[in-house]
Amino acid sequence: MAALHLNEANFEEEVLKSDKPVIVDFWASWCGPCKMLGPIVEQISDERDDVKVCKVDVDANGSLAEKYSVMSIPCVFLFKDGEVAGKSVGALPKDQLLKALGL
Amino acid sequence: MKYDVIIIGAGTAGLTAAIYVQRAGKQALVLEGATYGGQIVNSPEIANYPGFKNISGFEFVTALYEQASALGMEFKNETVTEVTKSDEGFIVTTTVDKYEGASVIIATGAKRRKLNVPGEDEFAGAGVSYCATCDGMFYRKKKTAICGGGNTALDDAVFLSNYCESVTIVHRRDGFRGEPSTLELLRSKENVHFLTDVTVDSLTGEGKLSALNYTDHKTGEKGSLAVDGCFIAVGQVPDTEFVKDIVELDSAGYVIAFEDCRTNIPGIFTAGDCRTKTVRQLTTAAADGTVAALAAVDYVK
């Protein structure tokens, strides 16, 4: 399943109230490493049924980036039960990303 | 299986080498610990590569990777830990497996040098950054510092000064190695400040960075600069630690080789920013990849 693009309006519903753990990739269209990570995040979305995979465009959703103190992108969070359970900064290969998130 | 050429590093040099190896009818294995592409991925715009008026680093390396893949390059996302000699070539050990190659090209490039001060790792991604063009926008209307005195530091300072409330250039000397014209531009900007002839002692904060602490060389006095962000541009280090026991490195860690890309060990070649040379550009990385690949192909013939 393709990653779900989030905004300030649906973040709470899709992430904080999700039954499944949620991977959230904070990215921007001008960020090269974010574009490198994009297909890797999509691949995880296709392969893993046990997690939900979402993306947040920081240009369009500055308040979400600020709320989670995103100061370097790509920045990937793992949310469990509405709480941040893992974080990874920078473009990493799939295995390393999953490991960094504790998945 | 034994590969003709094992290429370590999938930046511009390594991927160019793979193209030439494959086109010569030989088999290349490319090993890369990170995502492919190398440093140029961070560049939003490349305007000095012949044939392209303007292309992003991401588009450039993706095209390069697809070109090498279409030619049959084998690619594995594995970090190389050691290269040793075998009876008929070389054994390249990664964190996952071992591979045998008739020849090896070291194309691991260079990465940003760290300041090596307390707090630097702790606040990475939470105030400490090595890429102003990537992360600058998160510091809009905030106080930032840029550490370094070369062109990268000065260019980063110009970039940041367009967004940030203030930019303080922190440098260990009074003089700058960077372009005088850039320096002049920075001196004319009201929101740019200079803190020179100092040593950075630590980066501190709670949860995220809030201060850069330093010692003034002239007076010996300690001071603290309130910052939301600290960008670090204090040069580069080659990624060659893992081959120091097999090939000759210079005192800074670069693999010693001339324009022919041959190291002191027959069968091991080097290409790109990790090689001893004066000009490190995308074009010279591609040139090295070409030279090293053709030399390796000739060696395994």
Side-chain angles (χ1 to χ4, degrees), chain B:
Chain B
M1 120 157 227
K2 186 171 164 184
Y3 294 92
D4 297 310
V5 187
I6 296 182
I7 299 165
I8 308 169
T12 301
L15 292 175
T16 303
I19 289 170
Y20 273 85
V21 169
Q22 293 301 130
R23 283 179 56 86
K26 302 289 178 188
Q27 183 60 51
L29 168 67
V30 177
L31 298 168
E32 168 63 63
T35 48
Y36 67 78
Q39 298 175 79
I40 199 67
V41 170
N42 289 321
S43 295
E45 183 187 305
I46 300 163
N48 57 7
Y49 197 84
F52 295 93
K53 256 193 209 162
N54 192 327
I55 185 169
S56 75
F58 167 77
E59 285 174 294
F60 179 80
V61 298
T62 302
L64 197 53
Y65 177 82
E66 284 170 0
Q67 187 180 0
S69 295
L71 288 165
M73 157 191 80
E74 203 172 314
F75 179 85
K76 289 182 193 290
N77 245 153
E78 296 175 20
T79 303
V80 176
T81 53
E82 198 182 23
V83 178
T84 52
K85 276 187 181 173
S86 67
D87 291 344
E88 292 174 26
F90 302 94
I91 302 292
V92 177
T93 307
T94 73
T95 44
V96 180
D97 213 339
K98 284 177 191 289
Y99 303 96
E100 192 175 12
S103 65
V104 170
I105 297 174
I106 303 162
T108 42
K111 53 191 175 189
R112 285 274 184 111
R113 185 190 296 278
K114 287 188 169 187
L115 266 183
N116 283 323
V117 297
E120 184 175 8
D121 289 339
E122 183 186 346
F123 297 110
V128 172
S129 171
Y130 301 86
C131 181
T133 51
C134 310
D135 300 334
M137 69 152 285
F138 296 108
Y139 298 90
R140 201 177 286 272
K141 299 201 174 85
K142 293 196 170 168
K143 296 187 183 76
T144 57
I146 171 99
C147 299
N151 275 323
T152 307
L154 298 186
D155 290 344
D156 283 357
V158 172
F159 179 82
L160 292 170
S161 69
N162 296 326
Y163 300 93
C164 302
E165 179 188 305
S166 67
V167 181
T168 304
I169 301 170
V170 181
H171 186 35
R172 63 195 161 125
R173 297 200 187 91
D174 270 331
F176 287 87
R177 279 171 290 118
E179 284 291 324
S181 61
T182 314
L183 193 59
E184 205 171 307
L185 170 70
L186 287 165
R187 290 202 193 277
S188 73
K189 292 197 165 206
E190 274 182 14
N191 65 339
V192 175
H193 312 289
F194 290 83
L195 181 62
T196 57
D197 209 6
V198 298
T199 298
V200 178
D201 298 320
S202 64
L203 298 167
T204 51
E206 288 203 11
K208 57 185 177 180
L209 180 71
S210 63
L212 178 155
N213 307 298
Y214 61 90
T215 303
D216 187 308
H217 290 164
K218 285 196 187 82
T219 63
E221 279 176 28
K222 293 195 180 293
S224 183
L225 181 72
V227 289
D228 303 296
C230 178
F231 290 84
I232 295 167
V234 290
Q236 295 194 319
V237 277
D239 205 351
T240 55
E241 178 68 22
F242 70 102
V243 286
K244 69 178 189 331
D245 294 330
I246 190 161
V247 294
E248 246 183 285
L249 307 180
D250 75 359
S251 60
Y254 291 94
V255 181
I256 297 176
F258 293 107
E259 296 299 320
D260 62 7
C261 296
R262 292 169 196 273
T263 70
N264 62 312
I265 304 296
I268 303 185
F269 306 86
T270 184
D273 282 8
C274 62
R275 179 171 79 82
T276 50
K277 55 178 174 174
T278 49
V279 179
R280 292 191 171 85
Q281 291 287 313
L282 208 52
T283 46
T284 61
D288 274 13
T290 310
V291 173
L294 294 179
V297 165
D298 189 53
Y299 177 81
V300 302
K301 205 157 55 184

